Amino acid sequence: IPKAVKMIQQNLSLNQMIADVFELALGDYDGQGEIFFSEGTDFATSVTVNQNTTPDQARSSRMLIKVSKAESILIERKKQIPDLIKLDVETFEPEGLQGFGNLFPRKAIFLIEVLSSINAEKLADFFPESEFDFYNIDDAKKSFRKTDKLEKSDFYNALIVPKETMFNFDFLRLPQKGE
């Protein structure tokens, strides 16, 4: 979304940070896709590639966008496989992960939005329980708990950590009310 890219670039500048910003959506293919906005707008805080999720689908407009596999970006731009990945793409997370292909970052830490049990099941295919630890984050209640498997988040996000990671997240606990 051009407006979002501009906001990211301004935020990076204000915070004196350097980052590569790609004007595209991560997916499981290289090509074109579309996103939808409520009629008369050119920005949304929540869009899904190739799926109209606007409240009133009859009154929406679409924007064609570039879609790329992460694997293609890493190879073409000669980038390193990331150590930390934040993925929040409104149920398009499995497709985004699929796009890593043979370069799937098995040693990376992931912070992923998991909005439904169905999506959790799809995502679990990428994260075997024998190789990863799972933490359910509830920002609303300020809670953080370890789980046996990847599941729908109590409030949006899950933290997924390779078991071989030297840092142990078990000690983390957000303060509870009254503490």
Side-chain angles (χ1 to χ4, degrees):
I1 302 173
K3 193 178 278 188
V5 169
K6 185 176 179 180
M7 291 169 67
I8 291 167
Q9 291 169 332
Q10 288 172 338
N11 196 348
L12 289 168
S13 178
L14 285 170
N15 289 289
Q16 300 176 357
M17 297 178 73
I18 298 171
D20 294 319
V21 179
F22 302 102
E23 292 190 53
L24 53 84
L26 287 180
D28 55 353
Y29 66 95
D30 292 317
Q32 230 180 17
E34 57 188 8
I35 54 177
F36 296 85
F37 301 99
S38 294
E39 192 172 58
T41 65
D42 63 352
F43 186 77
T45 57
S46 176
V47 295
T48 302
V49 176
N50 297 331
Q51 185 179 347
N52 189 346
T53 58
T54 58
D56 183 2
Q57 293 180 0
R59 294 179 171 255
S60 62
S61 57
R62 71 183 180 125
M63 174 187 287
L64 293 177
I65 59 167
K66 180 179 179 180
V67 178
S68 294
K69 297 185 295 186
E71 182 178 48
S72 300
I73 295 167
L74 293 170
I75 291 169
E76 289 168 13
R77 310 264 179 139
K78 296 182 173 78
K79 297 291 180 185
Q80 292 183 320
I81 295 173
D83 299 326
L84 175 66
I85 297 170
K86 168 59 173 135
L87 201 53
D88 177 352
V89 287
E90 310 308 317
T91 71
F92 202 66
E93 290 82 7
E95 291 83 353
L97 292 175
Q98 186 69 38
F100 276 99
N102 293 324
L103 298 180
F104 189 84
R106 301 221 67 79
K107 295 182 179 182
I109 295 171
F110 292 82
L111 182 61
I112 300 181
E113 186 177 63
V114 185
L115 295 177
S116 71
S117 296
I118 292 169
N119 222 33
E121 289 174 23
K122 291 178 185 177
L123 291 168
D125 291 340
F126 297 94
F127 303 105
E129 295 166 21
S130 60
E131 297 177 30
F132 292 89
D133 288 324
F134 309 99
Y135 300 86
N136 192 315
I137 301 170
D138 185 334
D139 293 312
K141 294 181 180 175
K142 295 186 169 53
S143 66
F144 183 89
R145 62 183 174 85
K146 188 172 184 180
T147 59
D148 293 331
K149 63 179 186 170
L150 188 59
E151 60 186 35
K152 177 188 176 299
S153 173
D154 294 336
F155 194 82
Y156 300 126
N157 292 297
L159 183 66
I160 303 166
V161 182
K163 288 187 182 287
E164 66 182 48
T165 300
M166 298 299 289
F167 191 81
N168 183 343
F169 289 87
D170 289 339
F171 75 91
L172 288 177
R173 185 176 69 82
L174 296 173
Q176 301 301 309
K177 283 187 177 177
E179 291 185 316

